[in-house]
Amino acid sequence: MSLFDDDQPRKKTTHEIGSDLSLLSVDELTARIALLTEEIARLEEERARKSASRSAAENLFR
């Protein structure tokens, strides 16, 4: 183990849908759940923003 391992950029945790989970530790699974939960919140916020924009446009053209 090198003394400089901490200097190396860490690979960002990603998750591929349908990937094999059997080799992951409990901590890795917890990290992936947190990552996916954050992504779901981001997607829901964007959906709400687009829905509001669409509703405003529909009301303008009525």
Side-chain angles (χ1 to χ4, degrees):
M1 190 164 146
S2 171
L3 294 173
F4 302 105
D5 286 344
D6 292 338
D7 294 340
Q8 298 297 322
R10 292 184 182 241
K11 185 176 179 183
K12 186 175 180 180
T13 303
T14 60
H15 180 77
E16 184 177 328
I17 303 298
S19 62
D20 182 15
L21 304 176
S22 65
L23 299 177
L24 299 176
S25 69
V26 172
D27 289 339
E28 290 170 321
L29 289 168
T30 301
R32 287 192 184 198
I33 290 169
L35 176 72
L36 292 169
T37 301
E38 291 172 7
E39 184 64 8
I40 288 168
R42 189 176 76 90
L43 289 166
E44 288 175 339
E45 289 171 6
E46 184 64 23
R47 179 178 62 184
R49 193 173 11 264
K50 288 186 180 219
S51 292
S53 177
R54 183 177 184 176
S55 294
E58 287 175 350
N59 288 335
L60 180 66
F61 292 108
R62 284 188 181 172

